[in-house]
Amino acid sequence: MSQSSPKYGILVGVDGSPESEAAIRWATHEAVMRDQPITLLHAIPPVVVSWPVAYLETSFAESQENFAREVLDKAQKTVQASIGEAQPPEVRSEVMHIDAPSAMVTASRDAYMTVAGSRGLGAIGRTILGSVSSGLLHHGYGPIVIIPSDQAPAPHGSAPVLLGVDGSPASEDATALAFDEASRRGVDLVALHAWSDVGVLPVLGMDWHKYEDEGHEVLAERLAGWQEQYPDVRIHRRIVCDQPARWLIEESEKAQLVVIGSHGRGGFAGMLLGSVSSKVAQGSKAPVIVVRARRDSK
């Protein structure tokens, strides 16, 4: 978020799959909205063959290059079709000769925002979360956007932006981005806080009102400065009882975008908070932005 002129702008991984096409459409809208260039990245994994079949390497490499050109041509057409009457963004294409997860994670260092479909073309990509999206969630840099596989995102409309607030300093960047997204889209912001992230229901005799009051205090503290900076954004506060991933997934059905931080209470720097991020990314009905640290300096 702090980069003034990132090399890739809005970076989106393309592989010719329907999920990739949905990611391109969402990324195009974001690029137009933010006046950022959009970079279409396709990865070609290295070919490793032994001497007896080495002659196949050249033929296979050529087919990969041809496929890459076809995928990028199709992706550029999708960008153009998604622009409508808006001022078109600068469109860049890039091919990396490395496996797709590594390519996307590496490039995310120099992107304003990185976008990927939740699944891809390969066998691994057909798991609940594809190898690229999973790799970005665990190792990517900056805002990582995961587009659900069963939805062609419709960025317009009055549906709100949903923000998960865990009360930790780690969620500050997510809060900043959520307010910015809501303001640019002209929609409300729903701020959801779960008082517990351990998945334990309150036992008999616990004072729920006490925890509810504490939750409202957390939200008031975390939202106050941003509310002043974005007076045009109307905020709705939601306090829920534990299991934040379940509540965020449920609320995502009524949202056009979900924004969460990558780690918070009780986690070491590289760990996703109680796996909330990955659970929401794989279960959300709306696109999910997981805001990860840039880790530019050690």
Side-chain angles (χ1 to χ4, degrees):
M1 294 290 291
S2 61
Q3 291 180 331
S4 57
S5 55
K7 175 181 177 182
Y8 293 119
I10 306 297
L11 173 71
V12 56
V14 300
D15 63 7
S17 68
E19 291 80 8
S20 168
E21 293 294 296
I24 295 167
R25 290 191 291 271
W26 191 95
T28 299
H29 175 264
E30 192 76 8
V32 170
M33 187 173 68
R34 294 185 173 277
D35 192 24
Q36 288 276 343
I38 181 171
T39 299
L40 308 169
L41 174 61
H42 180 73
I44 298 179
V47 180
V48 180
V49 295
S50 58
W51 177 82
V53 290
Y55 68 93
L56 293 176
E57 181 177 356
T58 299
S59 176
F60 187 65
E62 288 178 354
S63 68
Q64 285 182 309
E65 295 290 346
N66 291 336
F67 179 70
R69 283 192 292 270
E70 293 174 2
V71 166
L72 289 171
D73 286 346
K74 180 182 178 182
Q76 290 190 18
K77 292 177 181 177
T78 300
V79 171
Q80 297 303 318
S82 303
I83 292 171
E85 298 180 359
Q87 181 69 25
E90 178 185 354
V91 181
R92 306 167 182 172
S93 296
E94 178 136 346
V95 175
M96 288 189 178
H97 291 77
I98 190 175
D99 64 278
S102 297
M104 291 294 290
V105 168
T106 300
S108 71
R109 286 179 177 268
D110 299 311
Y112 182 89
M113 181 178 288
T114 303
V115 186
S118 61
R119 304 176 189 176
L121 279 178
I124 296 178
R126 291 302 178 185
T127 58
I128 294 177
L129 271 182
S131 56
V132 170
S133 54
S134 181
L136 284 169
L137 286 176
H138 287 83
H139 306 292
Y141 298 82
I144 304 298
V145 188
I146 306 299
I147 307 299
S149 61
D150 58 350
Q151 176 198 10
H156 302 289
S158 59
V161 170
L162 174 62
L163 167 66
V165 180
D166 66 13
S168 73
S171 66
E172 190 73 0
D173 286 344
T175 302
L177 181 58
F179 268 93
D180 187 57
E181 288 283 347
S183 179
R184 290 177 183 272
R185 294 164 183 264
V187 299
D188 294 355
L189 176 68
V190 176
L192 184 147
H193 172 70
W195 67 264
S196 169
D197 59 13
V198 296
V200 180
L201 294 174
V203 298
L204 188 64
M206 290 180 68
D207 187 354
W208 163 244
H209 294 293
K210 173 186 175 183
Y211 291 104
E212 187 176 23
D213 290 342
E214 291 178 355
H216 280 294
E217 289 178 7
V218 168
L219 286 179
E221 178 184 345
R222 293 298 172 189
L223 302 178
W226 297 110
Q227 193 168 13
E228 295 172 3
Q229 187 172 335
Y230 293 93
D232 58 315
V233 176
R234 185 169 61 174
I235 303 173
H236 305 271
R237 293 170 171 81
R238 290 272 284 122
I239 307 296
V240 296
C241 178
D242 80 9
Q243 299 185 8
R246 178 174 69 85
W247 286 106
L248 286 166
I249 291 171
E250 183 175 306
E251 291 290 323
S252 74
E253 296 184 6
K254 299 174 286 186
Q256 64 175 274
L257 181 66
V258 180
V259 184
I260 50 179
S262 62
H263 58 83
R265 297 194 302 268
F268 56 88
M271 185 180 73
L272 301 179
L273 169 59
S275 299
V276 169
S277 299
S278 54
K279 288 179 181 177
V280 174
Q282 78 179 34
S284 175
K285 301 302 181 183
V288 176
I289 302 182
V290 177
V291 184
R292 290 184 52 80
R294 291 245 174 234
R295 303 195 300 272
D296 287 333
S297 59
K298 297 289 185 179

